[in-house]
Amino acid sequence: MRQGLLLSAALAVTSATLAQAQQTRPISGRVLDATSGEGLPGVTVIVKGTSIGASTNGQGEFQLTAPAGDVQLVLSYVGYLTETVSATGTDNVTVRLRTDQKALDEVVVIGYGAVKRSDVTGAIVSVKEEDLKKVPTANVMESLQGRLPGVDITRSSGSASSGVNVTVRGNRSLTANNGPLFIVDGIQYNSIQDINPNDIQSMEVLKDAASTAVYGSRGANGVIIVTTKKGAAGKTTVSFNTYVGQTEVQYYPYVNDGPAYVAQKREANRRDALRPNGLWSSEADDSKIFTPQQLTAIQNGTWTRWPDEFLRKGNQQEHQIGLAGGGDKTKFYLSASYYKEQGIFRMDNLKRYATRFNLEQAITDKIKVGMQNQLTYYNQNNRRDPLNIANKIDPLGAARDETGEVIVFPNNGKDINPLADELANNYLNNTRTIRTFLTGYASYQILPALSLRSNVGLTLGSLRTGTYFGSNTVDRNGSVPLASYGTQMDTNWSWENILNFTKTFGDHSLTATGVTSLLTFKTEQAKAQGANQLLSYQGFSALGNANQQVVINSGYVASNLVSFTGRVQYGYKGRYLLTLTGREDGSSKLPGNPWAFFPSAAVAWRLIDENFVKGLPVLSDLKLRASYGLAGNYDIAAYSSQTPLSKVPFSYGETSAPGYYLGARLGNTNLQWETSRTANVGLDFGLIRNRLTGSIDVYNTHAEKLLIDAFLPMTSGQSFSTRNVGETRNRGIEVGVNGSIIDNGKLRWNVGVSWFKNQEEILALSTGANDINNGWFIGSPTRVFYDYEKIGIWQTSEADEALKYGQKPGQIKVKDQNGDGKISATDDRVIIGSALPKWNGSLSSDLSYAGFDLSFQWFARIGQTINYEYDQIFDPQGIENSSRQDYWTPENPTNAYPRPDASVSKSSMQYFSTLAYRNGSYVKLRAATLGYNLPTTWLGKIGIGTARLYVQGKNLWVISKIKDYDPERAAAAAASNPDSGATTSTTAPAGARVGLAPLSNPIPRVVTVGLNLSF
């Protein structure tokens, strides 16, 4: 019986084995490089429709067992085109994989034209559509933070209406604009926040003079070219993108709570051997330093953490739909979007509505016309930041009464409650903006090698701002109500004609481009203001009812720019490349010297095409670039060449009469172009079949004849005059590397690294010496902090030494730089640090597997010094609230902060400004995203092409030496131009005018959930 069973089992196994053998078959083969014929190791070979696969060995050979019958093999390899081959009727296959030239043949927009990436001669960074979608934001530049070597991008604040600061390769000018030029579909357009990121096809950043020279003076600070989406012949496609998110302040430093405030006030009034006249020795003396209301609050333990009354969770949402399609002659793209954000404060919100319509029509085989139109509408409510007051209000007491009503003047009327701004009909600050961006073009293919294109652009901007501040608001603080109503109309025209010749002669290629350009800029403004409007519900809508301080103003500003440009691009065998550019610009802002010529030259050598390089197996791409060029800058206030005339009221007895006076600026008719010369050397490379690609650039920019608002002697009767004086230099290095770590068809992992260092230096100033009033110092960057150097706090054991400097223990100790036994503003102030980083860097990772994708981006800004506003919220008298600090007492001999002293105010405390300089370096987890692409087999059944769900976090984690603060907020303050107001004070630190690292409008953490669909 048992033997029979064993025999039956053996027969069954044998039958199954034979059946399985009949259902499978072995397949072997070899994979070769199509050009060299050499075997390719590590190629992934998959049987299509199954999980059966293998990888090639060092000779390119593979073996696998495939199902019987007709099968197809899918072969994939980094740097090569994926191939699908049939293995029907054969058990041995040979496949030749071709190099993927897509990256080299990819078209790059360079301004008034486009070239293959392999033919680029300048320093250009490209950003594609998929990169723009990785971090969905209202402003596309914010999504690119850290991804563009040489481009410093910071968010200006955390308010709903905040923008971004963008600087390309540092600051060249001291007072003129340092921001880049934005070109949208060939036309200048500075309001980049209007463009929905989902409407953008690609972006290019032009950094060196050879690349930007074609834009002349407008491109002196770099050029960012935006190309929006266009339609294509075939089936109309529909895309829908939506996300909703929540914002929340993650990092915010709190000031003293009630008990800490009481302790600091007691210490400020404490009586001891160092301060025998103090009022406080014990709690029995509290009535000498606290009011009855404060004493009651202390007894009851009643106190308010004021910032918590304002900081709240906000939210964001955006919805966009796009349609693209067309036929052989007509192509279109249409989109509409809605963006809404509620900020972290009440009454801080923004709504944006945008539509775009791009159309291209072929009239004949030679004539095409098209247009790109955008309409954007903003409805924006701005809220005066309440935290400045909230951080200083005495915390003892309550913000609301027993019924929950706001106490307008808490603390017995000493302070005004910032919550009063939120009372009905008490505070309005609303701005509504409409911007229309209309562009049209016509192109004519005159000859196969010769074409003409004419572009016309019109930007119309209409802005209305209305404000109403009731009597019991922070701004009025008990004064009569004040309302204002302002309008502004911007009209910008551009007309450009581009003649382009392209021809190939054997091994030679030639492209010649000629451009004529006319740009006009006009702004009209009007503003009316009135006080004591009796009906608060009328807000700013009935200024005629105001009966005090009725003021009406209007203004008009216009400027023009005319340009002529020529560019020649020559290539020999696609290996040796030359670009020559020249542009003549004429600006109405410089009437005495309107014209200037800006030439540039660039060369490139594709070393990878040389025989002595082709044989190196590790190299798959190698190109050397070099360029040199001259650029100009005229971006100063219009009419700087003129002295303005202003009206002032006079009276003769009881009779009023108008009077006039010359404005603060003395006109200068001899203004010239600010110019900068840039040399750039770059290397583009690809390694291991382009598994690792990147570029390295080194540059040196020398700017001279800087347009500076130079101060005038007070005896002149005027404050400043714009002049061409001074020189600066920017030197730096940029590195961008992208690596395809894994790509086997199922699992893909890409890692990108960027790093750049820019060193600014002022070489010369108007007087040949340092300009302390403006905070400009020869040999230093443009944004520095100049002050005394704090080295600690005077200790009890140093009382005799402190007395030599007129000080005592517990006070701030600064360094005697020259050792002369005294501290003076002339000899003992030094440069504490720069508000600009020593280097920036980023790390990004993109991983995908089986429909899931996971990505993150780290960003670092290292080596910046900040002037931290939190550290300046310290009231040594203990009247206002203070930041939490480790202050000196006889029992706590710290070197951090001085001893509170009721007899010394903040403004009179020696060297108080030295307390706030901090190391502002930080590393931030900029964004992390987890997504899932739904299977197309499911989606096809319901008529959807693709669908992706994702969850994302932004500003998730900050690593810095400053507790509970996001130093990016400080970076934005440092990016703005310093205040150029004159001062003769020898105690106020010039460096403070670079900009405080503010506490207002902290940058929030954002968590969003989104969906991308296509049909």
Side-chain angles (χ1 to χ4, degrees):
M1 180 74 177
R2 181 178 300 176
Q3 292 177 346
L5 290 174
L6 290 174
L7 179 60
S8 299
L11 291 173
V13 170
T14 303
S15 300
T17 303
L18 291 173
Q20 184 177 17
Q22 292 173 352
Q23 294 174 5
T24 61
R25 62 190 178 94
I27 297 178
S28 61
R30 193 176 184 206
V31 184
L32 309 174
D33 183 292
T35 303
S36 65
E38 298 179 354
L40 294 176
V43 177
T44 300
V45 184
I46 300 290
V47 178
K48 189 175 182 178
T50 73
S51 59
I52 301 172
S55 295
T56 58
N57 61 18
Q59 290 72 44
E61 300 168 339
F62 70 91
Q63 290 183 341
L64 55 81
T65 300
D70 298 339
V71 296
Q72 290 184 316
L73 304 179
V74 180
L75 299 93
S76 59
Y77 195 39
V78 174
Y80 288 79
L81 295 173
T82 299
E83 293 281 352
T84 301
V85 298
S86 174
T88 301
T90 179
D91 294 332
N92 190 279
V93 295
T94 299
V95 183
R96 297 180 180 271
L97 292 185
R98 296 169 297 161
T99 304
D100 186 359
Q101 292 292 321
K102 181 179 179 181
L104 297 178
D105 295 337
E106 192 175 66
V107 173
V108 176
V109 179
I110 59 172
Y112 303 115
V115 298
K116 293 192 300 183
R117 179 172 299 280
S118 59
D119 293 341
V120 170
T121 58
I124 298 176
V125 179
S126 293
V127 184
K128 298 307 174 189
E129 179 185 0
E130 55 269 24
D131 296 319
L132 300 175
K133 291 183 176 180
K134 289 177 180 177
V135 185
T137 59
N139 191 315
V140 66
M141 296 308 299
E142 187 180 355
S143 68
L144 298 175
Q145 186 182 52
R147 289 182 174 269
L148 307 175
V151 184
D152 190 13
I153 302 172
T154 55
R155 183 169 177 176
S156 58
S157 80
S159 70
S161 58
S162 67
V164 295
N165 299 306
V166 182
T167 305
V168 179
R169 291 186 169 181
N171 300 292
R172 297 164 180 80
S173 181
L174 294 176
T175 56
N177 182 30
N178 282 295
L181 170 70
F182 287 93
I183 300 293
V184 179
D185 293 327
I187 304 297
Q188 179 173 337
Y189 191 67
N190 292 329
S191 302
I192 190 63
Q193 69 271 18
D194 291 353
I195 312 297
N196 189 295
N198 292 299
D199 290 339
I200 298 177
Q201 185 68 42
S202 65
M203 293 178 65
E204 273 78 26
V205 182
L206 283 54
K207 297 183 291 186
D208 65 329
S211 301
T212 64
V214 73
Y215 291 104
S217 58
R218 295 187 294 153
N221 300 315
V223 178
I224 298 178
I225 300 177
V226 177
T227 303
T228 61
K229 293 180 179 178
K230 297 177 177 59
K235 178 184 176 182
T236 298
T237 60
V238 180
S239 62
F240 177 69
N241 303 283
T242 182
Y243 69 83
V244 295
Q246 178 178 280
T247 62
E248 182 179 9
V249 174
Q250 183 181 15
Y251 298 101
Y252 192 79
Y254 282 106
V255 293
N256 284 335
D257 57 18
Y261 170 80
V262 171
Q264 184 168 325
K265 191 174 182 69
R266 287 170 174 169
E267 183 61 40
N269 290 273
R270 179 179 170 187
R271 182 170 60 248
D272 56 23
L274 291 173
R275 199 158 52 202
N277 297 323
L279 298 176
W280 189 91
S281 294
S282 67
E283 293 183 12
D285 295 323
D286 278 353
S287 61
K288 297 179 181 180
I289 62 175
F290 293 105
T291 67
Q293 290 80 9
Q294 289 176 322
L295 289 172
T296 300
I298 294 172
Q299 184 178 4
N300 297 333
T302 304
W303 59 275
T304 301
R305 192 187 298 276
W306 282 92
D308 285 347
E309 297 291 327
F310 303 96
L311 293 172
R312 51 172 281 183
K313 293 180 180 180
N315 57 76
Q316 297 176 355
Q317 59 176 295
E318 184 173 40
H319 315 285
Q320 186 262 0
I321 187 168
L323 292 85
D328 294 336
K329 293 184 177 295
T330 305
K331 299 176 178 64
F332 69 90
Y333 175 79
L334 175 66
S335 76
S337 64
Y338 169 69
Y339 175 81
K340 179 182 179 181
E341 180 173 0
Q342 169 60 58
I344 55 177
F345 299 130
R346 288 175 287 272
M347 302 164 60
D348 174 29
N349 52 71
L350 171 71
K351 294 180 181 178
R352 183 187 70 189
Y353 306 83
T355 63
R356 169 165 287 276
F357 180 46
N358 294 347
L359 178 67
E360 184 177 82
Q361 176 68 46
I363 305 299
T364 68
D365 292 340
K366 294 186 176 182
I367 299 176
K368 288 183 180 180
V369 296
M371 61 180 181
Q372 293 92 29
N373 302 325
Q374 167 123 359
L375 175 64
T376 310
Y377 170 72
Y378 291 89
N379 186 356
Q380 174 182 332
N381 289 307
N382 299 292
R383 200 264 173 77
R384 184 192 195 282
D385 188 287
L387 296 180
N388 181 50
I389 293 179
N391 284 323
K392 297 177 182 179
I393 291 180
D394 169 2
L396 299 178
R400 294 178 172 85
D401 61 21
E402 294 80 1
T403 65
E405 295 296 321
V406 171
I407 303 174
V408 176
F409 290 97
N411 302 326
N412 201 29
K414 182 171 68 70
D415 303 301
I416 186 168
N417 191 334
L419 285 170
D421 284 355
E422 300 176 7
L423 298 177
N425 299 323
N426 202 32
Y427 180 98
L428 291 172
N429 187 344
N430 178 260
T431 299
R432 299 195 178 189
T433 306
I434 299 175
R435 269 193 292 269
T436 305
F437 180 46
L438 307 172
T439 69
Y441 72 88
S443 65
Y444 176 40
Q445 194 71 38
I446 305 171
L447 298 170
L450 183 65
S451 65
L452 175 65
R453 177 175 171 133
S454 184
N455 295 332
V456 177
L458 172 62
T459 302
L460 297 175
S462 176
L463 178 146
R464 188 275 292 148
T465 299
T467 63
Y468 174 79
F469 307 138
S471 178
N472 292 331
T473 57
V474 172
D475 290 274
R476 302 305 290 164
N477 196 13
S479 300
V480 297
L482 180 68
S484 68
Y485 187 93
T487 61
Q488 178 174 314
M489 172 65 75
D490 296 315
T491 306
N492 301 335
W493 275 99
S494 66
W495 181 29
E496 295 182 318
N497 298 287
I498 305 115
L499 186 66
N500 193 70
F501 175 81
T502 301
K503 190 71 173 178
T504 300
F505 311 90
D507 291 334
H508 307 272
S509 63
L510 178 67
T511 299
T513 304
V515 182
T516 64
S517 177
L518 169 64
L519 290 86
T520 68
F521 308 92
K522 295 181 180 179
T523 298
E524 299 178 50
Q525 295 174 315
K527 183 177 182 180
Q529 177 179 296
N532 202 25
Q533 187 172 338
L534 300 181
L535 301 177
S536 62
Y537 66 83
Q538 292 181 336
F540 50 79
S541 300
L543 286 179
N545 294 336
N547 56 38
Q548 296 180 20
Q549 303 175 29
V550 177
V551 179
I552 299 175
N553 289 307
S554 62
Y556 174 79
V557 177
S559 64
N560 300 316
L561 181 71
V562 179
S563 307
F564 304 93
T565 308
R567 179 178 64 199
V568 175
Q569 299 163 276
Y570 169 75
Y572 176 65
K573 292 186 175 180
R575 187 181 309 170
Y576 311 105
L577 308 168
L578 170 68
T579 301
L580 299 174
T581 306
R583 176 156 175 151
E584 183 88 5
D585 280 336
S587 172
S588 64
K589 291 186 178 181
L590 310 171
N593 303 279
W595 292 98
F597 180 67
F598 305 108
S600 75
V603 295
W605 180 15
R606 283 191 51 75
L607 289 161
I608 193 64
D609 293 332
E610 301 289 354
N611 291 330
F612 63 88
V613 176
K614 284 182 178 180
L616 300 176
V618 71
L619 287 174
S620 49
D621 189 24
L622 189 64
K623 180 172 66 176
L624 180 65
R625 298 176 279 103
S627 66
Y628 183 83
L630 177 69
N633 191 359
Y634 73 105
D635 205 352
I636 56 174
Y639 313 124
S640 293
S641 61
Q642 302 177 14
T643 302
L645 186 67
S646 300
K647 180 181 178 181
V648 62
F650 278 98
S651 63
Y652 294 94
E654 298 298 323
T655 305
S656 62
Y660 298 89
Y661 70 99
L662 295 178
R665 180 185 66 240
L666 177 64
N668 179 5
T669 58
N670 293 319
L671 290 176
Q672 302 179 40
W673 288 85
E674 180 178 300
T675 58
S676 58
R677 293 176 170 81
T678 300
N680 190 100
V681 177
L683 182 70
D684 301 326
F685 61 87
L687 305 176
I688 317 173
R689 293 169 297 280
N690 282 342
R691 184 179 286 270
L692 185 70
T693 61
S695 64
I696 302 173
D697 281 272
V698 180
Y699 62 89
N700 186 345
T701 299
H702 182 191
E704 56 187 359
K705 296 188 294 184
L706 301 182
L707 291 162
I708 294 177
D709 291 336
F711 289 114
L712 298 175
M714 296 183 67
T715 54
S716 68
Q718 290 167 298
S719 300
F720 66 94
S721 178
T722 305
R723 299 181 180 179
N724 289 101
V725 288
E727 299 178 26
T728 62
R729 178 170 60 192
N730 277 269
R731 293 177 292 179
I733 181 171
E734 303 164 350
V735 179
V737 178
N738 186 76
S740 179
I741 308 301
I742 301 173
D743 188 352
N744 60 16
K746 283 191 174 182
L747 177 63
R748 290 184 173 88
W749 182 25
N750 289 288
V751 175
V753 176
S754 73
W755 180 89
F756 65 93
K757 176 182 177 65
N758 180 76
Q759 182 177 344
E760 290 185 7
E761 184 181 4
I762 298 174
L763 300 180
L765 292 166
S766 58
T767 62
N770 295 329
D771 186 339
I772 296 177
N773 282 335
N774 272 313
W776 299 331
F777 300 88
I778 296 174
S780 298
T782 61
R783 310 282 192 265
V784 297
F785 298 102
Y786 179 71
D787 206 346
Y788 301 98
E789 181 183 357
K790 175 181 174 288
I791 56 176
I793 303 296
W794 289 108
Q795 302 298 321
T796 305
S797 60
E798 300 174 304
D800 293 338
E801 182 69 16
L803 187 61
K804 295 179 182 179
Y805 291 94
Q807 294 183 271
K808 60 183 180 180
Q811 295 183 334
I812 300 171
K813 181 181 181 181
V814 299
K815 185 175 182 179
D816 181 2
Q817 300 290 342
N818 61 359
D820 62 356
K822 59 182 180 180
I823 303 296
S824 67
T826 303
D827 298 326
D828 296 305
R829 288 188 295 174
V830 294
I831 294 174
I832 303 299
S834 172
L836 303 169
K838 292 182 179 179
W839 59 266
N840 294 44
S842 72
L843 170 67
S844 62
S845 171
D846 298 281
L847 181 71
S848 63
Y849 177 77
F852 288 92
D853 59 87
L854 175 65
S855 66
F856 64 80
Q857 296 88 38
W858 287 90
F859 173 68
R861 212 170 189 261
I862 305 298
Q864 65 180 10
T865 299
I866 70 171
N867 188 8
Y868 191 25
E869 184 183 24
Y870 179 79
D871 287 343
Q872 292 193 356
I873 304 176
F874 179 80
D875 184 5
Q877 295 178 293
I879 299 174
E880 294 181 340
N881 205 355
S882 294
S883 53
R884 297 179 181 179
Q885 301 293 351
D886 177 24
Y887 53 78
W888 190 94
T889 68
E891 298 77 22
N892 182 43
T894 178
N895 277 294
Y897 255 67
R899 185 181 191 182
D901 190 339
S903 66
V904 179
S905 67
K906 182 187 304 186
S907 60
S908 63
M909 177 175 279
Q910 282 184 302
Y911 320 123
F912 181 83
S913 61
T914 64
L915 297 173
Y917 301 117
R918 303 281 290 273
N919 181 351
S921 301
Y922 67 94
V923 178
K924 175 183 284 192
L925 179 54
R926 178 71 181 86
T929 307
L930 176 64
Y932 178 65
N933 292 278
L934 276 67
T936 55
T937 53
W938 300 356
L939 299 173
K941 297 177 181 179
I942 56 176
I944 298 177
T946 62
R948 177 175 178 265
L949 289 165
Y950 66 89
V951 59
Q952 180 180 87
K954 292 185 292 187
N955 299 317
L956 291 174
W957 189 25
V958 175
I959 303 172
S960 79
K961 293 184 178 180
I962 304 176
K963 184 180 179 182
D964 296 330
Y965 185 69
D966 184 347
E968 184 177 351
R969 185 71 181 90
S976 60
N977 283 330
D979 183 3
S980 58
T983 177
T984 57
S985 170
T986 58
T987 58
R993 292 192 296 277
V994 173
L996 283 172
L999 295 178
S1000 62
N1001 293 303
I1003 297 175
R1005 175 178 55 192
V1006 185
V1007 178
T1008 59
V1009 177
L1011 172 66
N1012 305 127
L1013 295 175
S1014 68
F1015 303 88

